[in-house]
Amino acid sequence: MDKICKSFPLEIGGTQQVLFDITFDVMPGEFVSIMGPSGSGKSTCMNIIGALDSATCGTYKLYGKDISTMTPDELAVVRNDYIGFVFQNFNLLPKRNILDNVMLPLMYMGKPMAERISRAREMLKLVGLSGFETYLPTQLSGGMKQRVAIARALAGDPKLILADEPTGALDSKMGNEILQFFKKLNKDLGITIVMITHEFDIAQYSDRLIHIYDGRITYDGKIPKHESDLMPKHRGRK
């Protein structure tokens, strides 16, 4: 990302700018947290990273492709080819079994059925859910649902996992298990992970932290010892 800004139109006229000159790079194999309070702009930043929205100004390149100039159809192809999404509320299809849920991105990619089934079973085994293929999401615990969501995100062999508050719907024990699993994916498989969070404790599972406040980056580096180190000396400065 290079000097990314984002503005939204207001019903009363004019616009409201929510991101200001956001500039950072994520290297292949990194585990990065983007942290900030509600209203800080981190979700807007996430949507741009995930090719779900476009910037008002600035340049964003994903593996050499300039996302800022793409059409909606081109963005959809990029999302399928490069990004696996893990959401706070799992976003599983409640009336489809676990195997079908994991196969979903492979269907959109046009993979043949035999390949879909084989890959989905492989990913369920990776997240420790072999034997649960015929279960419905309603039959699983929250932690198991998030593991299914991770398996689905991995099914298309993405270069980047984008995790939006992945432990927000889980208790602390299940949340810790999911975060440990992310670390394992990152270390053992070299998968690049960008995780969105508003909690400093959660961000500490990553190797690098980018803090956004009032639409600006206030910190970018290794995890500091104290959360207070994330803010500039003059808190209200823009």
Side-chain angles (χ1 to χ4, degrees):
M1 284 191 162
D2 185 29
K3 296 182 179 179
I4 290 291
C5 61
K6 179 66 177 179
S7 299
F8 291 100
L10 299 173
E11 290 185 3
I12 59 174
T15 61
Q16 179 180 4
Q17 188 168 348
V18 295
L19 291 180
F20 301 81
D21 298 326
I22 299 294
T23 299
F24 64 85
D25 292 320
V26 175
M27 303 305 293
E30 276 197 287
F31 185 175
V32 181
S33 286
I34 297 178
M35 178 185 162
S38 296
S40 63
K42 66 181 185 301
S43 294
T44 301
C45 186
M46 178 205 72
N47 287 338
I48 294 172
I49 294 171
L52 298 168
D53 199 357
S54 56
T56 305
C57 63
T59 303
Y60 169 43
K61 291 185 178 181
L62 181 66
Y63 293 97
K65 296 181 180 293
D66 190 349
I67 301 300
S68 5
T69 62
M70 288 187 176
T71 67
D73 286 345
E74 290 171 331
L75 290 174
V77 172
V78 165
R79 287 193 296 272
N80 279 338
D81 290 349
Y82 291 94
I83 306 173
F85 293 91
V86 178
F87 299 100
Q88 175 177 342
N89 294 318
F90 322 127
N91 286 10
L92 302 177
L93 300 176
K95 295 183 179 180
R96 304 298 294 268
N97 66 34
I98 299 312
L99 190 68
D100 286 344
N101 270 277
V102 177
M103 287 195 298
L104 193 62
L106 300 171
M107 180 186 72
Y108 290 133
M109 295 172 74
K111 301 294 184 182
M113 180 59 75
E115 184 177 342
R116 292 183 217 168
I117 293 173
S118 175
R119 179 67 176 173
R121 288 184 180 277
E122 181 184 351
M123 292 302 97
L124 285 170
K125 181 179 180 180
L126 179 67
V127 301
L129 290 177
S130 288
F132 289 88
E133 290 85 356
T134 61
Y135 281 58
L136 295 175
T138 53
Q139 297 175 290
L140 304 181
S141 68
M144 293 170 76
K145 289 177 185 177
Q146 196 58 294
R147 284 179 179 266
V148 173
I150 293 170
R152 180 184 59 192
L154 292 171
D157 196 23
K159 295 181 180 292
L160 167 68
I161 293 291
L162 186 56
D164 181 19
E165 302 278 5
T167 63
L170 305 176
D171 62 32
S172 58
K173 181 178 182 296
M174 288 183 177
N176 178 68
E177 290 177 358
I178 292 300
L179 292 167
Q180 292 288 0
F181 189 71
F182 275 129
K183 285 183 72 72
K184 182 175 176 62
L185 288 175
N186 175 248
K187 300 300 182 187
D188 294 354
L189 301 182
I191 295 175
T192 306
I193 299 175
V194 175
M195 180 171 65
I196 311 301
T197 184
H198 65 277
E199 297 184 52
F200 185 59
D201 289 348
I202 301 298
Q204 291 182 70
Y205 282 82
S206 62
D207 300 316
R208 173 182 165 203
L209 194 158
I210 298 170
H211 186 261
I212 297 179
Y213 185 82
D214 283 350
R216 298 178 185 273
I217 293 178
T218 64
Y219 182 92
D220 182 355
K222 293 182 178 180
I223 310 299
K225 291 184 178 180
H226 307 288
E227 187 173 357
S228 58
D229 295 334
L230 299 174
M231 294 299 301
K233 291 181 179 179
H234 303 290
R235 188 179 178 91
R237 185 179 62 193
K238 300 214 176 168

